[in-house]
Amino acid sequence: MNSDRYCATLQSLKQRIRRIRSERNTFLLHHDNTRPHCSAQTQDAMTSLKFTVVPHPLYSPDLALSDFWLFPKLKETLKGKHFSSDAIVEAAVRKWISSQPETFFMDGMNKWIQRVKKCVAVNGNDVEK
């Protein structure tokens, strides 16, 4: 993933949100602090797309939703399976994501909110899992 690809993903995300949630005017986005997310190009794209970024403390993988919620659950499903191509892996991941009930994603968001509150309570220090 590089800044060009990430900016294109953000543009696609914004278009999809507009199609699905056309009544929304405020767009909050949480992402970690990797280079593609923090580059000047990405910051410019965020401004033009009118995304408000929820701050992410430095070196806080325990607050990255993908790290503590999504990927561990996905890895449970894919563990021990072998794939002959990237396309087959992508298809398996898409199938798994689309098979998850809405409550799966809401549970993840609720757990993330609790972790953020805990992080704030300890003045930005890492939150134990």
Side-chain angles (χ1 to χ4, degrees):
M1 179 69 74
N2 60 30
S3 294
D4 290 334
R5 175 67 191 239
Y6 190 61
C7 290
T9 300
L10 290 173
Q11 290 172 346
S12 296
L13 174 63
K14 181 72 177 251
Q15 290 170 357
R16 180 147 173 90
I17 292 170
R18 282 201 170 133
R19 280 195 313 270
I20 295 171
R21 304 274 174 128
S22 59
E23 73 282 358
R24 291 271 174 134
N25 292 324
T26 303
F27 303 94
L28 299 176
L29 179 68
H30 176 259
H31 60 195
D32 59 19
N33 44 24
T34 59
R35 286 185 184 177
H37 298 170
C38 297
S39 72
Q41 179 183 358
T42 299
Q43 297 307 308
D44 291 345
M46 297 288 226
T47 300
S48 69
L49 294 168
K50 298 182 181 173
F51 277 114
T52 299
V53 178
V54 177
H56 184 85
L58 292 176
Y59 308 111
S60 297
D62 52 345
L63 292 181
L65 192 57
S66 58
D67 288 343
F68 79 83
W69 182 255
L70 183 64
F71 291 158
K73 305 284 186 188
L74 174 61
K75 283 169 38 176
E76 287 174 17
T77 302
L78 301 179
K79 186 176 181 177
K81 295 182 180 176
H82 299 279
F83 301 95
S84 58
S85 72
D86 289 348
I88 295 171
V89 174
E90 184 177 336
V93 170
R94 286 180 184 274
K95 181 179 178 182
W96 179 82
I97 288 174
S98 64
S99 72
Q100 300 308 304
E102 185 176 320
T103 55
F104 171 81
F105 299 100
M106 292 305 297
D107 289 348
M109 289 304 299
N110 288 330
K111 288 186 186 302
W112 176 73
I113 290 167
Q114 293 306 313
R115 282 175 180 246
V116 169
K117 286 179 179 177
K118 195 173 185 181
C119 183
V120 169
V122 296
N123 296 318
N125 293 324
D126 285 344
V127 178
E128 290 184 31
K129 291 185 179 181

